[in-house]
Amino acid sequence: MTPIQKDGDTMNLENYRGVVVQNGFGQVGERIFKDQLQSHMLKCQHGFLKNRSTLTNLMETVQKFNDVLDDGGQVDAVYFDVSKAFDKVPHSLLLEKCKAYRLSDAIINLLRTYLLNRAYQVRLNRLVLGVC
């Protein structure tokens, strides 16, 4: 892993991000895994996908809220800042989330092997696991 400065004071460690240089096999494997994982997540995923964004996520959320309210229900919402949250997700929790999304054992085992003995969370090409 190589630290790359994002911005700001060069003496502040929070102004750096880690970049991992992988060989070609690792990059191909990561792309295949990402494609497999996204096929399971598309109904929830909005970030980093073509034709989806924070705006489409907001529009979908507002529509769901309206549907509940139109049916006489109540909507409770909690908002919080999850910046850098994916970098801090424990690997065991990530694997449990994959099980909850009913990913195949083969994909979960592949991810478990990929994360084994890693000190930092892998970004998987900035894929964000959404919550539905």
Side-chain angles (χ1 to χ4, degrees):
M1 179 177 287
T2 303
I4 303 292
Q5 184 183 7
K6 295 184 289 187
D7 58 11
D9 182 13
T10 59
M11 299 304 287
N12 185 348
L13 293 179
E14 291 185 9
N15 291 332
Y16 289 84
R17 64 183 172 92
V19 175
V20 177
V21 178
Q22 293 186 27
N23 63 29
F25 290 115
Q27 291 175 354
V28 170
E30 187 175 292
R31 168 103 13 132
I32 291 169
F33 179 78
K34 184 186 97 166
D35 292 345
Q36 290 289 315
L37 187 58
Q38 278 186 330
S39 70
H40 290 277
M41 307 300 293
L42 285 180
K43 67 179 182 174
C44 304
Q45 178 76 23
H46 284 265
F48 311 106
L49 287 178
K50 186 176 181 179
N51 298 322
R52 289 196 175 184
S53 64
T54 54
L55 179 59
T56 60
N57 178 266
L58 181 60
M59 290 170 43
E60 188 175 298
T61 301
V62 168
Q63 182 61 50
K64 287 179 181 180
F65 286 1
N66 285 335
D67 292 345
V68 170
L69 293 172
D70 287 346
D71 290 338
Q74 175 180 327
V75 175
D76 298 315
V78 176
Y79 295 91
F80 51 93
D81 181 5
V82 293
S83 62
K84 299 184 183 180
F86 195 71
D87 293 335
K88 297 176 176 143
V89 172
H91 296 163
S92 59
L93 183 61
L94 179 62
L95 294 169
E96 288 300 318
K97 190 73 167 173
C98 289
K99 286 180 188 176
Y101 278 109
R102 297 188 181 105
L103 269 66
S104 73
D105 288 340
I107 291 177
I108 293 171
N109 288 334
L110 176 66
L111 180 58
R112 181 179 290 111
T113 302
Y114 188 72
L115 296 174
L116 187 64
N117 297 323
R118 290 187 182 249
Y120 297 97
Q121 180 63 46
V122 177
R123 285 188 178 267
L124 298 177
N125 283 333
R126 300 181 61 89
L127 175 68
V128 177
L129 299 179
V131 177
C132 291

